[in-house]
Amino acid sequence: MFNLFKRKKKSGCPNCYEQNTISFGIDYLENKIISLIQLTDEIGGIKIYKCQKCTTQFYINGNMYEKIFDGQIELLKKWSEINLVCPESLKKEIEKIGLTNDWNLSRIAPCKIELNNG
């Protein structure tokens, strides 16, 4: 027996139907929407996805799709082209300080960064 009152899934992505959506879970997408999100690019090791219906771009962080806003792709491209090298003197200072656990238990080096523009 089938359910006459079962709600039909929408197609696209959550952003197609709610413009203020900035992130949503993979499980939400699988349960509520016929996904039209496809992998379109990879920049600096980050996979870029795009909804074929509304052309909104996303990346996946854990089990969440995160919306990419205007200008972020250009910034990501610039950042991925930079070759960051840690000088030996800085490596020695980091070793003196030691590593600590971040809020999600990642190992990080506590530091202060001073930008070129102050």
Side-chain angles (χ1 to χ4, degrees), residues 6-73:
K6 188 172 183 178
R7 186 176 277 178
K8 184 179 177 185
K9 287 184 179 182
K10 300 173 183 177
S11 64
C13 75
N15 195 68
C16 293
Y17 303 98
E18 183 62 46
Q19 297 298 314
N20 295 329
T21 301
I22 57 171
S23 68
F24 52 90
I26 292 171
D27 57 340
Y28 176 83
L29 185 66
E30 290 172 352
N31 292 323
K32 302 288 184 184
I33 295 178
I34 299 169
S35 176
L36 295 179
I37 298 174
Q38 295 180 348
L39 178 64
T40 58
D41 200 1
E42 185 170 340
I43 303 169
I46 297 175
K47 293 180 180 177
I48 308 298
Y49 298 85
K50 185 183 213 178
C51 175
Q52 301 304 306
K53 184 173 181 178
C54 70
T55 69
T56 301
Q57 293 179 308
F58 303 95
Y59 68 96
I60 294 179
N61 183 15
N63 66 345
M64 299 288 289
Y65 277 93
E66 305 285 344
K67 183 177 179 179
I68 297 173
F69 294 95
D70 292 339
Q72 287 182 318
I73 292 289

